[in-house]
Amino acid sequence: MCRLGRLGGEFPYRVGMPGDDSTIGDDPLVDGMALSLRLRRDFTVTDADHLLTAARRIYRELDPDTSAAEAAGTVSCAADALFVILEHAGLLGDAADDRLSGHAVDGLAVGGWRAQIVVDEPAPLSPEPRSDCLRGDVFALSPRDHED
């Protein structure tokens, strides 16, 4: 069985399929294997005006040729603000892709990525990762997210 560890306990990582309660994380690593990462981070907006202003400033840092008016037009909602901040932090976008592409020599080729912002998630994750471990599929979308 493959077990991951760190100081103070296990990683809050889950390997496997939703609803599968069997031993997880023991798949052998083989050439051609496709690995997908579903990452979820929950945030709470404590100052919307300040956050939007900061995101527009950060957007201009990422694209210095952009005017303040263009930044205001481009970064205009919650998802825009969060994506810009995550890109600036290196969690999404070119910076993350560049850092991960350095592992090509180690046998890991970077594929595409997609991200989705969910507003007003009815069951937000706790800041304490271990408290969510028995909650079920934290990646399942609520029924309202499936509506057309």
Side-chain angles (χ1 to χ4, degrees), residues 10 13 18-19 53 59 62 96 105 109 113 122 131:
E10 293 182 8
Y13 302 152
T53 299
Y59 182 82
L62 294 170
V105 298
W113 64 271
S131 68

Side-chain angles (χ1 to χ4, degrees), residues 33-96:
M33 176 182 268
L35 302 174
S36 298
L37 168 68
R38 295 178 68 201
L39 175 66
R40 176 176 165 183
R41 299 277 320 244
D42 289 355
F43 302 89
T44 300
V45 176
T46 59
D47 187 335
D49 291 335
H50 190 119
L51 182 63
L52 192 56
T53 299
R56 289 172 177 163
R57 177 186 43 77
I58 290 168
Y59 182 82
R60 291 188 69 200
E61 286 178 26
L62 294 170
D63 188 1
D65 295 331
T66 302
S67 70
E70 290 169 322
T74 303
V75 181
S76 61
C77 67
D80 295 340
L82 187 53
F83 279 130
V84 166
I85 289 169
L86 293 175
E87 182 175 356
H88 186 259
L91 298 174
L92 297 176
D94 293 339

Side-chain angles (χ1 to χ4, degrees), residues 6-26:
R6 69 173 181 186
L7 294 175
E10 293 182 8
F11 282 111
Y13 302 152
R14 178 179 166 92
V15 181
M17 298 297 295
D20 180 2
D21 293 330
S22 62
T23 302
I24 56 175
D26 60 352

Side-chain angles (χ1 to χ4, degrees), residues 14 18 38 40 42 121 123 125 132-141:
R14 178 179 166 92
R38 295 178 68 201
R40 176 176 165 183
D42 289 355
E121 163 62 39
L125 295 175
D132 295 311
C133 68
L134 298 177
R135 211 171 89 171
D137 185 0
V138 298
F139 293 102
L141 296 175

